[in-house]
Amino acid sequence: MSQATETIAQPTKSGSTLLYEQPLNERMRTFLRLEFLYKQLSYLAGEESSWASRGAITSLLDVVAILSRGDVRGDVLKELERQLFVLERLQQTENVDTQRLEVVVQHLQAHRGNLNVVGPKYLQDLRDNEFLNAIRHRSSIPGGTCAFDLPEYTHWLRQDFKRRSINIADWIEVVRPLCESVGALLWLLRNSKQPVKQVAVNGVYQHAMNRDSANALIRLTLPGDSELYPEISGGQHRCTVRLMKWNESDSRPVQTKNDIEFELAVC
């Protein structure tokens, strides 16, 4: 069992609420990590400073490292096929917004087509890139990418932002079809269930899973002004939520003793 704070370092703030997520299987952990890194990469790629470009390269190499473990592309394609099968069957039922559903289906079909076009060796250009390989090899050493270790990298970082951004955009394009497909699947999963109000008695809540459902993600929402955060441990059969209060950086967080209302969705 793992805790939400290990996977989601910061909550997503939406209006007046704070959202935390906890994956329930290894595939979902991979998808959430890819989403996090791709968002970070996309943001840093648009910033002009050389420090942002450094961060973008680090995020890119992290994405490549995850995609190089196992057949992530195959997993994404299988999940796209499964979701398309479910949605296409749903189109045959009554009282369904067929127009909206058709848009979602076409969206997923486009992602499937993009992944089929790039093929299983889509990462080869990045793997063969000597410039990126040098950075990756030195990145395992603390401070290993500084000027005297990698003068070529330093020289590139001193180039005009336009030149750097062209290079980064080319590299991002290699991983974009897969990362955007992951984003589409996560969007569909997150919108598959509505949150339900729950109460953590003395700061603790236990939830029994529906064993007939393939649960993959827990989503927990707290008020935006809450001083608490959740520690979530869970598997396919049950999950436990402990609501914690962070005090100071030099003291351990403590579990609240109050009854706390929150919203929970198991997707």
Side-chain angles (χ1 to χ4, degrees), residues 5 9 32 248:
T5 49
L32 289 177
E248 299 293 339

Side-chain angles (χ1 to χ4, degrees), residues 34-35 38 41 63 67 115 175-184:
L34 282 172
E35 179 190 49
Y38 188 66
L41 169 58
V63 168
L67 296 180
L115 287 183
V175 300
R176 182 188 60 79
L178 192 138
C179 290
E180 290 189 352
S181 296
V182 167

Side-chain angles (χ1 to χ4, degrees), residues 5 20 222 226-231 242-246 253:
T5 49
Y20 294 82
L222 288 169
S226 176
E227 295 182 349
L228 305 175
Y229 69 91
E231 285 187 349
R242 290 182 173 83
L243 294 172
M244 311 295 290
K245 184 175 182 180
W246 187 84

Side-chain angles (χ1 to χ4, degrees), residues 65-121:
I66 290 177
L67 296 180
S68 298
R69 300 171 191 160
D71 185 13
V72 179
R73 174 181 168 273
D75 288 342
V76 174
L77 276 171
K78 288 177 184 177
E79 188 61 22
L80 285 170
E81 293 287 0
R82 188 181 75 83
Q83 293 294 346
L84 282 168
F85 176 76
V86 171
L87 294 176
E88 286 166 358
R89 289 187 62 184
L90 190 60
Q91 286 178 314
Q92 309 304 318
T93 61
E94 297 181 357
N95 301 321
V96 172
D97 186 342
T98 55
Q99 186 174 3
R100 185 179 181 186
L101 188 58
E102 180 62 25
V103 171
V104 175
V105 168
Q106 290 178 0
H107 191 52
L108 295 183
Q109 287 173 338
H111 285 296
R112 181 181 61 183
N114 291 337
L115 287 183
N116 284 326
V117 167
V118 299
K121 295 184 178 180

Side-chain angles (χ1 to χ4, degrees), residues 14-34:
S14 176
S16 60
T17 61
L18 293 171
L19 173 65
Y20 294 82
E21 296 183 329
Q22 170 67 22
L24 295 175
N25 56 51
E26 193 58 36
R27 177 180 291 183
M28 189 53 51
R29 291 185 184 94
T30 298
F31 284 5
L32 289 177
R33 286 172 180 145
L34 282 172

Side-chain angles (χ1 to χ4, degrees), residues 245-256:
K245 184 175 182 180
W246 187 84
N247 295 314
E248 299 293 339
S249 58
D250 58 350
S251 62
R252 298 185 64 178
V254 295
Q255 180 181 309
T256 182

